[in-house]
Coordinates of all heavy atoms in Angstrom, one line a residue:
V361 N 86.9 104.3 89.3 CA 87.6 105.0 88.3 C 86.6 105.4 87.1 O 86.0 104.5 86.6 CB 88.8 104.2 87.8 CG1 89.4 104.9 86.7 CG2 89.7 103.9 88.9
T362 N 86.5 106.7 86.8 CA 85.7 107.1 85.7 C 86.1 108.4 85.2 O 86.9 109.2 85.9 CB 84.3 107.3 86.2 OG1 83.4 107.9 85.1 CG2 84.2 108.3 87.4
E363 N 85.9 108.7 83.9 CA 86.2 110.0 83.3 C 85.3 111.1 83.7 O 85.7 112.3 83.5 CB 86.4 109.8 81.8 CG 87.4 108.8 81.3 CD 87.5 108.7 79.8 OE1 86.7 109.4 79.1 OE2 88.4 107.9 79.3
A364 N 84.1 110.8 84.0 CA 83.2 111.8 84.3 C 83.4 112.4 85.7 O 83.4 111.6 86.7 CB 81.7 111.3 84.2
R365 N 83.5 113.6 85.9 CA 83.7 114.3 87.2 C 82.3 114.6 87.8 O 81.4 115.3 87.2 CB 84.5 115.5 87.0 CG 86.0 115.3 86.7 CD 86.8 114.5 87.6 NE 86.9 115.1 88.8 CZ 88.0 115.9 89.2 NH1 89.0 116.1 88.3 NH2 88.1 116.5 90.4
A366 N 82.2 114.1 89.0 CA 80.9 114.3 89.8 C 81.0 114.0 91.3 O 82.1 113.5 91.6 CB 79.7 113.6 89.0
D367 N 80.0 114.2 92.0 CA 80.0 113.8 93.4 C 79.4 112.5 93.5 O 78.2 112.3 93.3 CB 79.2 114.8 94.2 CG 79.9 116.3 94.3 OD1 81.1 116.3 94.3 OD2 79.1 117.2 94.3
Y368 N 80.3 111.4 93.7 CA 79.9 110.1 93.7 C 79.6 109.5 95.3 O 80.4 109.9 96.0 CB 80.8 109.2 93.0 CG 80.9 109.3 91.6 CD1 81.6 110.2 91.0 CD2 80.1 108.5 90.7 CE1 81.8 110.4 89.7 CE2 80.2 108.6 89.3 CZ 81.0 109.6 88.7 OH 81.0 109.8 87.4
S369 N 78.6 108.8 95.4 CA 78.3 108.0 96.6 C 78.1 106.6 96.3 O 77.7 106.3 95.2 CB 77.0 108.5 97.3 OG 77.2 109.9 97.7
V370 N 78.7 105.8 97.1 CA 78.6 104.3 96.9 C 78.1 103.6 98.2 O 78.6 103.9 99.3 CB 80.0 103.8 96.6 CG1 81.0 104.0 97.7 CG2 80.0 102.3 96.2
F371 N 77.3 102.6 98.0 CA 76.6 101.8 99.1 C 76.7 100.3 98.8 O 76.6 99.9 97.7 CB 75.2 102.2 99.2 CG 74.9 103.7 99.6 CD1 74.8 104.6 98.6 CD2 75.0 104.1 100.9 CE1 74.7 105.9 98.8 CE2 74.8 105.5 101.1 CZ 74.6 106.4 100.1
V372 N 77.1 99.5 99.8 CA 77.2 98.1 99.7 C 75.8 97.7 100.3 O 75.4 97.9 101.4 CB 78.3 97.6 100.6 CG1 78.2 96.0 100.6 CG2 79.5 98.1 100.1
I373 N 75.1 96.9 99.4 CA 73.8 96.4 99.7 C 73.8 95.0 100.3 O 74.4 94.1 99.7 CB 72.8 96.4 98.4 CG1 73.0 97.7 97.6 CG2 71.4 96.1 98.7 CD1 72.6 98.9 98.5
G374 N 73.1 94.8 101.4 CA 73.0 93.5 102.0 C 72.1 93.5 103.2 O 71.2 94.2 103.3
E375 N 72.3 92.6 104.1 CA 71.5 92.7 105.4 C 71.6 93.9 106.1 O 70.6 94.4 106.6 CB 72.0 91.5 106.3 CG 71.7 90.0 105.8 CD 72.1 89.0 106.8 OE1 72.4 89.4 107.9 OE2 72.1 87.9 106.4
K376 N 72.7 94.6 106.0 CA 73.0 95.9 106.6 C 73.7 96.6 105.6 O 74.7 96.5 105.1 CB 73.8 95.8 107.8 CG 73.9 97.2 108.5 CD 74.8 97.1 109.7 CE 75.0 98.5 110.4 NZ 75.9 98.3 111.6
T377 N 72.9 97.7 104.9 CA 73.4 98.6 103.9 C 74.3 99.7 104.5 O 74.0 100.2 105.6 CB 72.3 99.2 103.2 OG1 71.5 98.2 102.4 CG2 72.9 100.2 102.0
W378 N 75.5 99.8 103.9 CA 76.4 100.9 104.5 C 77.0 101.5 103.3 O 77.1 101.0 102.2 CB 77.4 100.3 105.5 CG 78.2 99.1 104.9 CD1 77.9 97.8 105.0 CD2 79.5 99.3 104.1 NE1 79.0 97.0 104.5 CE2 79.8 97.9 103.9 CE3 80.3 100.3 103.7 CZ2 81.0 97.6 103.1 CZ3 81.4 100.0 103.0 CH2 81.8 98.7 102.7
G379 N 77.6 102.8 103.5 CA 78.3 103.4 102.5 C 78.2 104.9 102.7 O 77.9 105.4 103.8
G380 N 78.5 105.7 101.6 CA 78.5 107.1 101.9 C 79.2 107.9 100.6 O 79.5 107.3 99.6
E381 N 79.5 109.2 100.8 CA 80.0 109.9 99.8 C 81.5 109.7 99.6 O 82.3 109.6 100.7 CB 79.8 111.4 100.1 CG 80.3 112.3 99.0 CD 79.9 113.8 99.3 OE1 79.1 114.1 100.2 OE2 80.5 114.7 98.7
T382 N 81.9 109.5 98.4 CA 83.4 109.4 98.1 C 84.1 110.6 98.1 O 83.6 111.7 98.0 CB 83.6 108.6 96.8 OG1 83.1 109.6 95.7 CG2 82.8 107.3 96.6
S383 N 85.5 110.5 98.1 CA 86.3 111.7 98.0 C 87.3 111.4 96.8 O 87.7 110.3 96.7 CB 87.2 111.8 99.3 OG 88.0 110.7 99.5
Y384 N 87.6 112.5 96.1 CA 88.5 112.3 94.9 C 89.9 112.4 95.3 O 90.4 113.2 96.1 CB 88.2 113.4 93.9 CG 89.0 113.3 92.6 CD1 88.6 112.2 91.7 CD2 90.1 114.0 92.3 CE1 89.3 112.1 90.4 CE2 90.8 113.9 91.1 CZ 90.4 112.9 90.3 OH 91.1 112.7 89.1
R385 N 90.7 111.4 94.8 CA 92.2 111.3 95.1 C 92.9 111.7 93.8 O 93.0 110.9 92.9 CB 92.6 109.9 95.6 CG 91.9 109.5 96.8 CD 92.4 108.2 97.4 NE 92.2 107.1 96.5 CZ 92.6 105.8 96.8 NH1 93.1 105.6 98.1 NH2 92.4 104.8 96.1
N386 N 93.6 112.9 94.0 CA 94.3 113.5 92.7 C 95.4 112.5 92.3 O 95.7 112.4 91.1 CB 94.9 114.8 93.1 CG 93.7 115.9 93.2 OD1 93.1 116.0 92.1 ND2 93.5 116.5 94.2
V387 N 96.2 111.9 93.4 CA 97.3 111.2 93.0 C 96.8 109.8 92.3 O 97.5 109.5 91.3 CB 98.0 110.7 94.3 CG1 99.2 109.8 94.0 CG2 98.6 111.9 95.1
R388 N 95.9 109.3 92.6 CA 95.4 108.0 91.9 C 94.3 108.2 90.9 O 94.0 107.4 90.1 CB 94.9 107.0 93.0 CG 96.0 106.6 94.0 CD 95.6 105.5 94.8 NE 96.7 105.1 95.7 CZ 96.6 103.9 96.5 NH1 95.6 103.0 96.2 NH2 97.5 103.6 97.3
G389 N 93.7 109.4 90.9 CA 92.7 109.8 89.9 C 91.5 108.9 90.1 O 90.8 108.5 89.1
D390 N 91.0 108.6 91.3 CA 89.9 107.8 91.6 C 89.0 108.4 92.7 O 89.4 109.3 93.4 CB 90.2 106.3 91.9 CG 90.8 106.3 93.3 OD1 91.4 107.3 93.8 OD2 91.1 105.1 93.8
Y391 N 87.7 107.9 92.8 CA 86.9 108.3 93.9 C 86.9 107.2 94.9 O 86.7 106.0 94.6 CB 85.5 108.5 93.3 CG 85.4 109.7 92.4 CD1 85.6 109.5 91.0 CD2 85.0 110.9 92.8 CE1 85.6 110.6 90.1 CE2 85.0 112.1 92.0 CZ 85.2 111.8 90.7 OH 85.2 113.0 89.8
Y392 N 87.1 107.6 96.2 CA 87.5 106.6 97.2 C 86.6 106.6 98.4 O 86.2 107.8 98.9 CB 88.9 106.9 97.7 CG 89.4 106.1 98.8 CD1 89.9 104.7 98.6 CD2 89.5 106.5 100.1 CE1 90.4 104.0 99.6 CE2 90.0 105.8 101.2 CZ 90.4 104.6 101.0 OH 90.9 103.7 102.0
Y393 N 86.2 105.5 98.9 CA 85.5 105.4 100.2 C 85.9 104.3 100.9 O 86.3 103.1 100.4 CB 84.0 105.3 100.0 CG 83.1 105.2 101.1 CD1 82.7 106.4 101.7 CD2 82.8 103.9 101.6 CE1 81.9 106.3 102.9 CE2 82.0 103.9 102.8 CZ 81.6 105.1 103.5 OH 80.9 105.0 104.6
S394 N 86.0 104.4 102.2 CA 86.4 103.3 103.1 C 85.6 103.2 104.5 O 85.1 104.3 104.8 CB 87.9 103.4 103.5 OG 88.1 104.6 104.3
Q395 N 85.5 102.0 104.9 CA 84.6 101.9 106.2 C 85.1 100.7 107.0 O 85.2 99.7 106.4 CB 83.2 101.9 105.9 CG 82.3 101.8 107.2 CD 80.8 102.1 106.8 OE1 80.5 103.0 105.9 NE2 80.0 101.2 107.4
G396 N 85.2 100.8 108.2 CA 85.4 99.7 109.1 C 84.2 98.7 109.2 O 83.0 99.1 109.1
V397 N 84.5 97.5 109.1 CA 83.4 96.4 109.0 C 83.8 95.3 110.1 O 84.8 95.1 110.5 CB 83.3 95.7 107.6 CG1 82.9 96.8 106.6 CG2 84.5 95.1 107.2
D398 N 82.8 94.5 110.3 CA 82.9 93.4 111.3 C 83.2 92.1 110.5 O 83.9 91.3 110.9 CB 81.7 93.1 112.1 CG 81.5 94.3 113.1 OD1 82.4 94.8 113.6 OD2 80.4 94.6 113.3
V399 N 82.6 91.9 109.3 CA 82.7 90.8 108.4 C 82.9 91.2 107.0 O 82.2 92.1 106.6 CB 81.3 89.9 108.5 CG1 81.5 88.7 107.6 CG2 81.1 89.6 110.0
F400 N 83.8 90.5 106.3 CA 84.0 90.8 104.9 C 83.0 90.1 104.0 O 82.5 88.9 104.4 CB 85.4 90.3 104.5 CG 86.5 91.2 105.0 CD1 87.7 90.5 105.6 CD2 86.4 92.6 105.1 CE1 88.7 91.4 106.2 CE2 87.5 93.3 105.6 CZ 88.6 92.7 106.1
P401 N 82.6 90.6 102.9 CA 81.8 89.8 101.9 C 82.5 88.7 101.3 O 83.8 88.5 101.4 CB 81.5 90.8 100.8 CG 82.5 91.8 100.9 CD 83.0 91.9 102.3
E402 N 81.8 87.7 100.8 CA 82.4 86.4 100.1 C 81.8 86.3 98.7 O 80.6 86.5 98.5 CB 82.1 85.2 101.0 CG 82.8 85.3 102.3 CD 82.6 84.1 103.1 OE1 81.9 83.1 102.6 OE2 83.0 83.9 104.3
N403 N 82.6 85.9 97.8 CA 82.2 85.5 96.5 C 81.7 86.6 95.6 O 82.3 86.9 94.5 CB 81.1 84.5 96.5 CG 81.6 83.1 97.2 OD1 82.7 82.7 97.1 ND2 80.7 82.6 98.0
S404 N 80.7 87.4 96.0 CA 80.3 88.6 95.3 C 79.6 89.6 96.2 O 79.2 89.2 97.4 CB 79.2 88.1 94.1 OG 78.1 87.6 94.8
V405 N 79.4 90.7 95.7 CA 78.9 91.8 96.6 C 78.1 92.8 95.7 O 78.5 93.1 94.6 CB 80.0 92.6 97.4 CG1 80.9 93.3 96.5 CG2 79.2 93.6 98.3
T406 N 76.9 93.2 96.1 CA 76.0 94.1 95.4 C 76.3 95.5 95.9 O 76.2 95.8 97.0 CB 74.6 93.8 95.5 OG1 74.3 92.5 95.0 CG2 73.8 94.7 94.6
L407 N 76.5 96.5 94.9 CA 76.8 97.9 95.2 C 75.8 98.9 94.4 O 75.4 98.5 93.3 CB 78.3 98.3 95.0 CG 79.3 97.4 95.7 CD1 80.0 96.4 94.7 CD2 80.3 98.3 96.3
R408 N 75.5 99.9 95.0 CA 74.8 101.0 94.4 C 75.6 102.3 94.3 O 76.1 102.7 95.3 CB 73.5 101.2 95.1 CG 72.6 102.3 94.4 CD 71.2 102.3 95.0 NE 71.3 103.0 96.4 CZ 71.0 102.3 97.5 NH1 70.6 101.1 97.5 NH2 71.0 102.9 98.7
I409 N 75.8 102.8 93.1 CA 76.5 104.1 92.9 C 75.5 105.2 92.5 O 74.7 104.9 91.6 CB 77.6 103.9 91.8 CG1 78.6 102.8 92.2 CG2 78.3 105.2 91.6 CD1 78.3 101.4 91.9
Q410 N 75.7 106.2 93.2 CA 74.8 107.5 92.9 C 75.6 108.7 92.6 O 76.7 109.0 93.2 CB 73.9 107.7 94.1 CG 72.9 106.6 94.5 CD 72.2 106.8 95.7 OE1 72.6 107.7 96.5 NE2 71.1 106.1 96.0
W411 N 75.2 109.4 91.6 CA 75.8 110.7 91.3 C 74.8 111.6 90.5 O 74.0 111.0 89.8 CB 77.1 110.5 90.6 CG 77.0 110.1 89.0 CD1 77.0 110.8 88.0 CD2 76.7 108.7 88.6 NE1 76.8 110.1 86.8 CE2 76.6 108.8 87.2 CE3 76.5 107.5 89.2 CZ2 76.4 107.7 86.4 CZ3 76.3 106.3 88.4 CH2 76.3 106.5 87.0
E412 N 74.7 112.8 90.8 CA 73.7 113.7 90.2 C 72.4 113.1 90.3 O 71.9 112.8 91.3 CB 74.2 114.1 88.8 CG 75.5 114.9 88.8 CD 76.0 115.2 87.3 OE1 75.4 114.7 86.4 OE2 77.1 115.9 87.3
E413 N 71.7 113.0 89.1 CA 70.4 112.3 89.1 C 70.5 110.8 88.8 O 69.5 110.2 88.5 CB 69.4 113.0 88.2 CG 69.3 114.6 88.4 CD 68.7 114.8 89.9 OE1 67.8 114.0 90.1 OE2 69.2 115.7 90.5
E414 N 71.7 110.3 88.7 CA 71.8 108.9 88.2 C 72.1 107.9 89.3 O 72.6 108.3 90.4 CB 73.1 108.8 87.3 CG 73.0 109.7 86.1 CD 72.0 109.3 85.1 OE1 71.6 108.0 85.0 OE2 71.5 110.1 84.3
T415 N 71.6 106.6 89.1 CA 71.8 105.6 90.2 C 72.1 104.3 89.3 O 71.5 104.1 88.3 CB 70.6 105.4 91.0 OG1 70.4 106.4 91.7 CG2 70.9 104.2 91.9
R416 N 73.2 103.5 89.7 CA 73.5 102.3 89.1 C 73.6 101.3 90.2 O 74.3 101.5 91.2 CB 74.7 102.3 88.2 CG 74.6 103.3 87.2 CD 73.8 102.9 86.0 NE 73.9 103.9 84.9 CZ 73.2 104.9 84.7 NH1 72.3 105.2 85.7 NH2 73.3 105.6 83.6
E417 N 73.1 100.0 90.0 CA 73.3 98.9 90.9 C 74.1 97.8 90.1 O 73.6 97.3 89.2 CB 72.1 98.4 91.4 CG 72.2 97.5 92.6 CD 70.8 97.2 93.3 OE1 70.3 98.2 94.0 OE2 70.4 96.1 93.2
I418 N 75.3 97.5 90.7 CA 76.1 96.5 90.0 C 76.6 95.4 91.1 O 76.5 95.5 92.2 CB 77.4 97.2 89.4 CG1 78.1 97.9 90.6 CG2 77.0 98.1 88.4 CD1 79.5 98.3 90.0
V419 N 76.9 94.3 90.4 CA 77.5 93.1 91.3 C 78.9 93.0 91.0 O 79.4 92.8 89.9 CB 76.7 91.8 90.9 CG1 77.5 90.7 91.8 CG2 75.3 91.9 91.3
A420 N 79.8 93.1 92.0 CA 81.2 92.9 91.9 C 81.5 91.6 92.4 O 81.1 91.0 93.4 CB 82.0 93.9 92.7
T421 N 82.5 90.8 91.7 CA 82.8 89.4 92.0 C 84.2 89.4 92.4 O 85.1 90.2 92.0 CB 82.6 88.5 90.9 OG1 83.3 89.1 89.6 CG2 81.1 88.4 90.4
S422 N 84.6 88.4 93.2 CA 85.8 88.2 93.8 C 86.8 87.7 92.7 O 86.4 86.9 91.7 CB 85.9 87.1 94.9 OG 87.2 86.8 95.3
V423 N 88.2 88.2 92.7 CA 89.1 87.7 91.8 C 89.7 86.4 92.2 O 90.3 85.8 91.3 CB 90.2 88.8 91.6 CG1 89.7 90.1 91.3 CG2 91.0 88.8 93.0
K424 N 89.3 85.8 93.3 CA 89.9 84.6 93.7 C 89.2 83.5 93.1 O 88.0 83.5 92.8 CB 89.8 84.5 95.3 CG 90.6 85.4 96.0 CD 90.8 85.0 97.4 CE 89.4 85.0 98.2 NZ 89.7 84.7 99.6
T425 N 89.8 82.4 92.9 CA 89.3 81.1 92.3 C 89.5 80.0 93.3 O 90.1 80.2 94.4 CB 89.8 80.8 91.0 OG1 91.3 80.3 91.1 CG2 89.8 81.9 90.1
E426 N 89.0 78.8 93.1 CA 89.2 77.6 93.9 C 90.7 77.3 94.0 O 91.1 76.5 94.9 CB 88.4 76.4 93.5 CG 88.9 75.9 92.1 CD 88.3 76.6 90.9 OE1 87.5 77.5 91.1 OE2 88.6 76.1 89.7
K427 N 91.5 77.7 93.0 CA 92.9 77.5 93.1 C 93.8 78.5 93.8 O 95.0 78.3 94.0 CB 93.5 77.4 91.6 CG 92.9 76.2 90.8 CD 93.5 76.2 89.4 CE 93.0 75.1 88.6 NZ 93.6 75.0 87.2
T428 N 93.2 79.7 94.2 CA 93.9 80.7 94.8 C 94.3 80.2 96.3 O 93.4 79.8 97.1 CB 93.0 82.0 95.0 OG1 92.6 82.3 93.7 CG2 93.9 83.1 95.6
I429 N 95.5 80.4 96.6 CA 96.0 80.0 98.0 C 95.6 81.0 98.9 O 95.4 82.1 98.6 CB 97.5 79.7 98.1 CG1 98.3 81.0 97.6 CG2 97.9 78.5 97.0 CD1 99.8 80.7 97.8
S430 N 95.7 80.8 100.1 CA 95.3 81.7 101.3 C 96.5 82.6 101.6 O 97.6 82.4 101.2 CB 95.0 80.9 102.6 OG 96.1 80.3 103.1

Side-chain angles (χ1 to χ4, degrees):
V361 177
T362 176
E363 294 182 359
R365 296 297 296 268
D367 293 326
Y368 289 88
S369 293
V370 61
F371 300 90
V372 174
I373 311 301
E375 292 184 6
K376 182 180 179 181
T377 298
W378 55 267
E381 186 176 343
T382 66
S383 58
Y384 184 74
R385 300 190 294 186
N386 286 300
V387 174
R388 300 198 178 187
D390 66 346
Y391 292 87
Y392 174 80
Y393 179 83
S394 66
Q395 183 167 319
V397 296
D398 295 323
V399 179
F400 289 138
E402 296 181 4
N403 302 319
S404 65
V405 58
T406 301
L407 302 103
R408 185 171 66 244
I409 297 90
Q410 297 175 343
W411 71 101
E412 297 178 350
E413 304 300 320
E414 302 289 337
T415 299
R416 299 287 185 275
E417 195 165 292
I418 60 173
V419 176
T421 56
S422 172
V423 301
K424 297 195 297 185
T425 71
E426 66 278 0
K427 294 182 179 180
T428 305
I429 63 176
S430 67

